[in-house]
Amino acid sequence: MRIDAILSHMANESTDTLSPLLAALADPTRRAVVEALSRGPAPVSDLAAPYDMALPSFLKHLDKLEKAGVVTSHKQGRVRICRLRNGGLKPMQDWLAREERRWARSLDRLAAHLDTLEKDPKQ
């Protein structure tokens, strides 16, 4: 399958979860939040503390992560607690696994072709 056909297929999928996920993780602040949450749930105030930005701006980052399905949050008293969503990164893991298999097959074909050329240089 040609790359343009693959990209077209991906763009036309009605349940494209990879694009919003990649968009959410494109920002270094959001990647750092994901890394922080990998150590366990945390209040929004703790997550926002290392950043020199107003809380409403930081909340936009969390909102983007929530919409992408990476983070979930709930209110505990007056505190909003965030945590990583189980399986939130799975669409990216699945895509990377497919790409790895595709490239492995291509490299296997290349190796077989080079072996053929090595055995019979006239080809």
Side-chain angles (χ1 to χ4, degrees):
M1 185 178 262
R2 290 185 26 220
I3 190 70
D4 55 339
I6 292 169
L7 293 174
S8 175
H9 172 73
M10 286 177 63
N12 291 331
E13 288 183 18
S14 61
T15 58
D16 179 17
T17 55
L18 186 59
S19 294
L21 177 58
L22 291 172
L25 295 176
D27 184 271
T29 299
R30 293 190 287 267
R31 287 193 306 272
V33 168
V34 169
E35 186 177 332
L37 290 174
S38 71
R39 295 186 284 277
V44 169
S45 58
D46 289 359
L47 293 170
Y51 303 100
D52 186 27
M53 68 177 76
L55 188 58
S57 296
F58 184 78
L59 290 173
K60 289 179 183 180
H61 286 291
L62 287 178
D63 185 56
K64 185 108 175 178
L65 288 168
E66 283 196 74
K67 286 180 179 174
V70 178
V71 171
T72 184
S73 68
H74 68 279
K75 199 94 162 170
Q76 192 172 34
R78 297 181 70 184
V79 176
R80 180 155 297 280
I81 305 292
C82 295
R83 70 181 66 235
L84 289 180
R85 186 176 154 265
N86 283 339
L89 297 175
K90 186 152 178 26
M92 186 166 44
Q93 292 169 321
D94 292 347
W95 181 78
L96 288 170
R98 284 192 307 272
E99 288 301 302
E100 183 178 20
R101 287 190 301 273
R102 187 174 65 83
W103 279 101
R105 285 191 305 269
S106 294
L107 291 173
D108 288 346
R109 286 192 306 270
L110 176 61
H113 178 68
L114 293 174
D115 285 345
T116 301
L117 291 178
E118 190 175 273
K119 291 175 186 170
D120 186 3
K122 293 178 184 175
Q123 284 191 0

